Every structure is written in C-alpha cells, then in structure tokens.
Amino acid sequence: MKKLICITCPRGCHLEIDEETLDVKGNACPRGKEYGINEITNPKRTITSTVKIVGAEINRLPVKTDKPIAKSLMFDVMKELDKICVSHPITRGTVIISNVLGSDVNIIACRDL
Amino acid sequence: MSKHDLVIVGGGPAGLSAAYEAYKEGIRDIVIIERDSFLGGILNQCIHNGFGLHRFKEELTGPEYASRYIDMVKTTSAIIKSDSMVLHVTDNKEVHYVNKDEGYQIIEAKAVILAMGCRERTRGAISIPGTRASGVFTAGACQKYVNMDGYLVGKRIVILGSGDIGLIMARRMTLEGCKVLAVVELMPYSNGLNRNVVQCLNDFNIPLYLSHTVTDLIGKNRVEKVIVSKVDENRKPIKGTEMEFECDTLLLSVGLIPENELSKEAGVELDRRTNGPVVYENMETSIPGIFACGNVLHVHDLVDNVSLEASKAGKSAAKYILSKKELSNDYINLVNGNEVSYTCPQKIRKDNVDDVIEVFFRVRSVMKNKRILVKSNGEVISKVMRLHLAPGEMESVKITKEQLSTCSDTIEISVEED
Ligand SMILES: Cc1cc2nc3c(=O)[nH]c(=O)nc-3n(C[C@H](O)[C@H](O)[C@H](O)COP(=O)(O)OP(=O)(O)OC[C@H]3O[C@@H](n4cnc5c(N)ncnc54)[C@H](O)[C@@H]3O)c2cc1C
Ligand code: SF4
C-alpha cells in the first residue's frame, strides 16, 4: 500500500494505492484514480515559469507546459526556457517552444503581453 | 462630481467577477477603479497553476484565470479606470479617486463594491529579532520580483511560514536555481494546501520544520545566517534546539491581512476575526448599498471561491440599485461553535434568502472524521461528515430556506466528534 495525496485539484484527497493491482482508494472523483496510478508508474508535472520578453510593459512572460511532462525533466525544461527571449506583442496560447526536449509537450504563453 | 450606478474598488478577480455579474443582472453603468496598470490583481504574479478547477473545470495559471475574466468584462459596458487609486469611500457612497489624467475625482454611486484584496504581514508585524540586514522580503514581494520584473532576490533561502505563498515560492526559487534550505513553520501543521506541500516541497526534498521558528537573524549588511529553534506547545522557543542556516535571504510568508483602510474610514463595521467587513447573506456590509467580496472580506485560498462570492456581491448590488426596496432589519447572527474560528457571512436576513445559503467558515486545527453541526436554539438543523479538516482549507455548509425558517435569532456552527 502506498499512501499519496492527490494533487490534481485543491481538495487533496488522501489516496491509498495497491502497488501491485494498482487499485486506488480514497479518491472523490475518477481523476484521482488516474493520478494515483500515474504517480506510481510515470509521475508527471505541469511546469509553470516565465521567459524574457522585450518591448512589453513587464519583463517576464508567464508560460507553461500545455500538458504535464515527466517529473524528471523539470530542470532540463527550465534550462530551455532560459534560452528564450520573445518580443511584444504575444497572445495567450502562442506556442513558445514546440515539442520541448523531443517530448510531445509544448510551452505556451499564459497571457497577452 | 460625476454620477454612476455601480463603482467597484479593485480590479482583481473579485472586482471583475462582481462587475460581470452586475452587468448580467441588468446594470449598464459600472466603473471599475484599479490602482495598478493591469486588471487581474494578485493573479498576475501567481504564474503557477491550480486556479479555476471548480469555476472553469480546467486547471489554469493565475494569469490565464485573470485573462478569462478580463475578456468577459470587456464584453460588458463597464468603464475601466486603471492606474487610478481610490482614496476615500464615504458612507453616502461617494468614491474619491485620483489618477494622472483626471486628477482628483469624486463619483457619486448608487452602490459600491469593495474588492481591494489583502496585503502581506511584514517582519514588523510579527517582530523577528536580529539585525536590520538586507535580504528579508515578504514572499509575495519576492514573487512579484521574480515573476514580473525578472529579478532574483537571493540564492540561498530560508522561508518562514508554510502557507501557500511560502510553499509556492520554495518551488519557484528552486526551479530558478536557488537553494531553499528550509521552510520553517511555527504551527505543528502546514497552513498550505496539501497539494502544495506535495508538489512544492516533497518533489524537491525541501525540509519542512514544523513547530519551529526563526529566533535570530545575523548579518551586517546582508543576511548571513538565520537561527531556527523548535517551539513548545505554547509556541515559545526551546533553548538548546537552535539550528544555524547559512543563507542570504529570508522570505516571510506569515499571513495576509485584508486591506480595509477604506472600509474603516467609510464606517463599515469590521469583524475582528476576519479583519474584514461584517456582511449579510448578500455580501452587503453594515452600510446599505456598500458590498464587499474577495480577499478584502476574508482571506481566501481558492480564487474560484472569490469569483463565486463576488458574483453574489455583483448580483446583490444590481438588485439593490434596481429595486431600492429596504430590507428588513430582522437577522440571524451566526456564531462560532467548537473549533470554528469565523464564519462568512456573519448575519443572515431570512427573507432575503432565495432557496439556500452557503456559509463559509474556517476551523482552528487539523482534524479527521468529524461532524459539522448547524444548530439553532440547541437543536441540530443540519449535519455533515468531513473526513479531513484543516485551518488552511476553507469549509462551507449549506442551509436551506426551509431549515432557516425554523431558526431563532442565532445559528451556531461547530465541529463535533463523529
Ligand atoms: C501568492 C498567492 C498564491 C495563490 N495561489 C492560489 C492558487 O494556487 N489557487 C487559487 O485558486 N488561489 C490562489 N490564491 C488566492 C487568490 O489568488 C486570491 O484569493 C484572489 O486573487 C483574491 O482576489 P481579490 O480580487 O479579492 O484580490 P486581489 O487579487 O488582491 O485584487 C485586489 C485589487 O484591488 C486593487 N486595489 C486595492 N486597493 C485599491 C485602491 N485603494 N484603489 C484602487 N485599486 C485598489 C489592487 O491593486 C488589486 O488589483 C493565491 C494568492 C496568493 C497571494
Ligand atoms: S480525487 Fe478528484 S476531487 Fe480528490 S483531489 Fe483528486 S482530483 Fe480532486
């Protein structure tokens, strides 16, 4: 039995997962089951950070991965973001890096700037 | 002096949601006054995700959540005055503001919604001993520097306070290449959401010292060391338990205070427990026609709840403007029972409740398997089970109009053994 706290939503259900059968208990919704199984087999995280922007009213453009990416890649993604500089204007949802580090995940802009 | 139907003070998520709802209810003459150059409030610096799951059934970042509401408000006729600071609100609903283009202006409003948000407690507010070296920041200020201005305030960091902002900043600074040596928490539990403890600390092996506090700060010009000690049950530091952390920065995440200088000056009755206005079931303050919502009313952990509460304020303000009907003075007082630290609203006018009223409250400690009881006159009118309760997680109970009809002049909400 592995005990985890579901972090998919702010409710934070306390889950119990059987590592062999991948049976999940304690989840208040189906997404909790999915999270529990993934957390045991292939943990992923959405990364949110910023990239440099020039010509806008502020210096940093908030960005995120458009879906969760392998937890182990977090710091490598940060290094990729360090290399980026975009210029004003940017609209929300614009792809800033496509298929980052060869994954199927894109980095997208989170606001108009 | 100009005249407008509705003036909203603050263009954060609360102000935006209130404006949108008032428009939907038929109010066309709305002015939103915001001191910053952008709408969206604190969300602009909260670049992490976790917003909007309830409201939009999607996990959004702060800026994305704000953008959705900004877009919604842009479809309305609301006038937006940014870079404008409200200086006074009076009890007869005059709103005084100032900006570069118009100078000092006064609006006479039919209704006012207070949505000024909150500010952070500082070192002074919690009196940390030690030298006055530089390198001590509030976590929110640090968040703004890194996420909007692009400055890192330090490299080796200790964080005091394990509320959400402290936890979020621990991860944020770690991702940016800083070393977060410790998160120190006075209480025996974290005040942050569970998921933030998991995602922000456990993921990066950042130690969380519960029942500890900062007892000294050493450094000549810049912070060089902080001393952390264990505390006893009375939260007094225990001699001999001192630990030394060599660091250049101390971040404080030691609580938020609703920003109510304007409310106080207007004569709005404040609640000592929430530090925000006392409100009725419709978010109306003690002054008829002045409403409050969002962090100015009580500190929220979820923006979804802010939007919900603010839409109620917007709707009520619209109703007030359109109907002008005086509401009865007959109300039920909500009182804190066992383990409950505050409720919002604090007062309910029975005849102004449509079908059901949701009462928000916070508990005093971390508990498991408890029953929440709603009592009036010693009689239980409703009870619900909770598997998990924590002060950092806002709770709510629903009371139906039918249940209210059986209540006398007080309702007590309490947490009892199952
Ligand atoms: C660091 C941090 C992390 C958070 N993380 C999460 C999270 O992960 N998930 C989640 O759901 N919620 C989160 N929250 C909570 C959520 O963001 C807040 O509850 C919400 O932003 C509050 O909205 P508000 O409109 O009441 O206040 P604010 O967003 O603070 O907006 C108030 C606005 O009023 C303006 N104002 C104030 N005084 C005046 C004046 N005199 N004149 C003109 N304008 C004025 C301010 O400039 C500001 O724009 C977080 C909050 C913080 C601080
Ligand atoms: S199980 Fe569902 S409700 Fe519970 S925390 Fe996970 S996503 Fe949220």
Side-chain angles (χ1 to χ4, degrees), chain A:
Chain A
M1 271 308 170
K2 184 144 177 141
K3 285 191 178 177
L4 282 180
I5 299 171
C6 179
I7 58 174
T8 312
C9 92
R11 238 176 113 166
C13 293
H14 293 243
L15 311 178
E16 274 187 23
I17 303 147
D18 189 314
E19 280 142 304
E20 257 132 57
T21 61
L22 295 181
D23 184 38
V24 183
K25 286 206 185 75
N27 52 315
C29 84
R31 296 169 358 124
K33 181 173 179 185
E34 194 186 321
Y35 170 80
I37 294 172
N38 284 338
E39 205 49 23
I40 300 281
T41 54
N42 176 25
K44 288 185 172 180
R45 296 290 182 266
T46 296
I47 303 174
T48 62
S49 187
T50 63
V51 296
K52 186 172 179 183
I53 183 165
V54 292
E57 267 182 87
I58 58 174
N59 300 331
R60 307 297 297 186
L61 171 73
V63 297
K64 69 170 187 181
T65 54
D66 63 356
K67 46 180 168 299
I69 191 166
K71 191 175 152 187
S72 54
L73 288 179
M74 276 195 284
F75 283 97
D76 297 315
V77 169
M78 290 300 290
K79 279 194 200 119
E80 293 304 305
L81 296 180
D82 274 348
K83 299 177 192 160
I84 304 287
C85 178
V86 296
S87 31
H88 158 83
I90 291 278
T91 41
R92 161 164 120 250
T94 303
V95 174
I96 305 293
I97 307 176
S98 55
N99 305 108
V100 64
L101 299 166
S103 68
D104 61 345
V105 177
N106 300 318
I107 304 288
I108 59 169
C110 293
R111 72 180 273 190
D112 298 342
L113 207 60

Side-chain angles (χ1 to χ4, degrees), chain B residues 339-352:
Chain B
E339 287 285 354
V340 171
S341 58
Y342 75 76
T343 68
C344 190
Q346 293 88 340
K347 297 175 178 180
I348 300 175
R349 288 172 293 211
K350 271 190 221 181
D351 51 2
N352 200 33

Side-chain angles (χ1 to χ4, degrees), chain B residues 212-282:
Chain B
H212 279 74
T213 193
V214 170
T215 44
D216 204 0
L217 195 88
I218 296 157
K220 210 161 166 237
N221 299 312
R222 178 81 192 192
V223 174
E224 287 160 24
K225 267 182 216 166
V226 302
I227 309 296
V228 171
S229 307
K230 204 170 161 50
V231 298
D232 62 21
E233 311 84 74
N234 303 318
R235 297 180 221 160
K236 291 271 172 304
I238 305 170
K239 265 217 153 59
T241 61
E242 294 83 1
M243 289 184 284
E244 225 179 75
F245 291 96
E246 270 182 42
C247 61
D248 53 32
T249 304
L250 174 66
L251 294 186
L252 304 176
S253 171
V254 289
L256 300 167
I257 316 171
E259 196 150 343
N260 275 297
E261 281 65 27
L262 294 176
S263 329
K264 211 180 292 174
E265 202 197 326
V268 165
E269 182 190 350
L270 299 181
D271 184 340
R272 269 190 310 141
R273 303 168 301 172
T274 55
N275 288 310
V278 171
V279 289
Y280 290 98
E281 70 296 324
N282 62 347

